[in-house]
Amino acid sequence: MTEDFYDLLDIPDDASQDEIKTAYREQVRVYHPDHNDDDRARAQFTAVKKAHDILGDPVERQAYDRLGHEDYVAKRTSGLPSADVWRSSDSDDGTSDADEEPERATATAGAGASTAGTSGSTSTTNSRSSTGSSSGTASSATGSTASAGATSSSSTAGTSGTTGTGSTGTRTAGRTTTGTTRTAGTSQSNADATAESEPGGFGDNAVVRWWRRQNFSLPLIWLSVFVYLSGLGHFASANRSALETLRAKLAAAGTDPDALVTTLSSGRYGIDSSVAYLMAFELVAPPLVEPLWYAALAGAVGLTLLTLLGVRAYRDGDTWGPVSIDETIVVALAVTATTVLVGGPLLAGAVLMPMLFAVIVRHTRRGPGWKPSYLYVVPVLAPLVGFGLAAADAATLGSDLAVLVVLPIVGGLGLPLRATIRKHFGW
């Protein structure tokens, strides 16, 4: 659980405004309701947005740092989502909503009209008031009162004035805590996340909306496991007679541990090593000589990655950041197509499982709720270790059985089964 707004945005206490904005955008990509169908994502998104609105304003941030998180939230905010979504479990759970009733605030424009490029706003909390006006500008006094939780805002080219209360008892020039006020050169704080969903935009499409509502994490994990299991099935089919011989030997050894160890370590009984099997697999005849063929396949994967980076740079202005599920799907398709051509489904599954497990565990841990351990990734790395042992001519029949069969099957089924049980039964 997070302790305060800095922890919520995963930034240090001395973070710059640019760092706050970058962290907020990363959190929006995770929790925005258009991208996350978790029931708690909307509440988490509200909390993240509140944190950005407060820390993104120097005056509010100074007040937040001076009062501390607990006092600031109790005295100057309302409308935060349920505390169990983001607040620390060590926080005092005995405070009711009635104990933290927000203060009534009245916002008054004391001398408030401004010319292009300037803004003025005033606010009072209880009996306190502050006034702001533009230098050399005549103004007329206006007064307005807004109830707690409501915000009134206006925006013009180069100028802005705000009145209202809402989530905080004070206002600073050119902003409201709901993020709906525009100033010269700025836009809504959540515009980046919702621009594609505006009417006429790319997101204004039934297929795109359907796609965004889907959660592909669990199907991707199951798919990688099934691809690997199909590879094992093909390996067993290619070594059927040798496996029959091994089965007879193991049956003769019975349940004696020493006899079983001796049987598994005395030879391979004609069973191909994993590398020999991969090298012999040929789905289609390579149209190029082997070095060029492998280089072309690697280039296809590299081109896919460069394309995704280019899309990020164009869309977000930033090529680095958490990998989205959509990007994961694209990369997985490219990796599957190339690895199947090289070594069949056994190689494809051995590469897909650790890649998808790692990305999806990371993606899940960044969201609210369950935080699966990265230890789920360790057993599905075993096939790649087995390929390395075989390439170094250090693999035995026993080691192949352990790293190619037992560990990836048991470990590979662990995460999807755990996620499926949690999804359907909540355990």
Side-chain angles (χ1 to χ4, degrees):
M1 292 290 186
T2 53
E3 299 293 339
D4 56 23
F5 288 146
Y6 291 104
D7 193 22
L8 183 64
L9 294 178
D10 196 19
I11 54 175
D13 292 352
D14 58 351
S16 65
Q17 288 298 313
D18 287 340
E19 290 174 326
I20 293 173
K21 183 181 293 185
T22 300
Y24 170 70
R25 286 177 175 174
E26 291 178 355
Q27 296 286 349
V28 164
R29 294 189 190 108
V30 176
Y31 296 115
H32 195 280
D34 285 348
H35 306 293
N36 193 322
D37 59 356
D38 191 285
D39 294 338
R40 292 158 294 183
R42 184 176 297 277
Q44 184 79 359
F45 175 71
T46 301
V48 167
K49 190 170 181 296
K50 183 77 70 176
H52 171 264
D53 290 339
I54 292 172
L55 300 182
D57 182 89
V59 175
E60 288 298 314
R61 182 179 181 181
Q62 185 177 14
Y64 177 80
D65 291 339
R66 183 180 70 253
L67 294 174
H69 176 76
E70 295 295 335
D71 288 344
Y72 185 94
V73 168
K75 295 179 179 179
R76 304 181 69 163
T77 69
S78 65
L80 284 174
S82 175
D84 60 2
V85 175
W86 65 278
R87 282 179 56 186
S88 170
S89 57
D90 296 332
S91 299
D92 183 8
D93 295 332
T95 303
S96 64
D97 293 340
D99 294 334
E100 295 186 359
E101 181 180 359
E103 298 178 0
R104 296 187 58 192
T106 303
T108 306
S114 63
T115 60
T118 63
S119 62
S121 64
T122 65
S123 64
T124 62
T125 304
N126 289 341
S127 60
R128 287 183 248 176
S129 67
S130 60
T131 62
S133 61
S134 302
S135 175
T137 303
S139 61
S140 60
T142 62
S144 63
T145 302
S147 60
T151 302
S152 172
S153 62
S154 63
S155 171
T156 60
T159 67
S160 68
T162 63
T163 65
T165 60
S167 295
T168 64
T170 184
R171 286 290 181 274
T172 59
R175 67 174 289 278
T176 68
T177 57
T178 58
T180 58
T181 300
R182 290 187 179 92
T183 60
T186 64
S187 62
Q188 297 183 43
S189 60
N190 63 343
D192 293 338
T194 60
E196 292 184 350
S197 299
E198 293 177 355
F202 177 73
D204 188 22
N205 180 295
V207 175
V208 174
R209 290 195 297 270
W210 173 86
W211 179 272
R212 288 176 176 172
R213 287 195 298 269
Q214 308 310 306
N215 188 339
F216 294 103
S217 298
L218 189 56
L220 283 174
I221 292 177
W222 277 116
L223 179 62
S224 67
V225 174
F226 289 146
V227 169
Y228 185 76
L229 290 177
S230 67
L232 283 181
H234 188 273
F235 178 88
S237 177
N239 292 271
R240 182 179 302 171
S241 60
L243 288 173
E244 285 292 335
T245 302
L246 175 61
R247 186 187 65 80
K249 293 285 186 181
L250 292 175
T255 58
D256 183 9
D258 293 335
L260 291 174
V261 171
T262 301
T263 301
L264 293 175
S265 59
S266 60
R268 299 193 64 90
Y269 305 99
I271 300 175
D272 294 335
S273 69
S274 57
V275 170
Y277 164 79
L278 296 178
M279 296 297 292
F281 184 90
E282 189 175 274
L283 182 63
V284 295
L288 304 171
V289 295
E290 279 195 355
L292 291 179
W293 175 235
Y294 294 149
L297 295 177
V301 177
L303 181 61
T304 301
L305 296 176
L306 288 176
T307 301
L308 290 176
L309 290 176
V311 171
R312 277 192 170 204
Y314 174 78
R315 182 189 63 196
D316 304 327
D318 182 16
T319 56
W320 305 111
V323 180
S324 70
I325 292 298
D326 290 346
E327 292 169 335
T328 302
I329 293 174
V330 173
V331 174
L333 290 174
V335 169
T336 302
T338 54
T339 51
V340 165
L341 290 174
V342 172
L346 185 66
L347 179 61
V351 175
L352 279 178
M353 283 199 299
M355 182 186 79
L356 293 178
F357 275 50
V359 171
I360 291 172
V361 165
R362 170 61 177 162
H363 183 78
T364 306
R365 289 176 64 88
R366 296 182 73 246
W370 185 40
K371 309 292 183 185
S373 171
Y374 284 108
L375 292 177
Y376 282 111
V377 183
V378 175
V380 296
L381 287 169
L384 297 179
V385 175
F387 297 160
L389 291 174
D393 200 23
T396 64
L397 190 59
S399 66
D400 281 352
L401 182 64
V403 300
L404 297 178
V405 180
V406 177
L407 284 176
I409 291 179
V410 175
L413 292 176
L415 179 59
L417 285 176
R418 179 70 181 88
T420 301
I421 292 172
R422 181 178 178 84
K423 177 180 179 180
H424 292 286
F425 302 102
W427 297 346

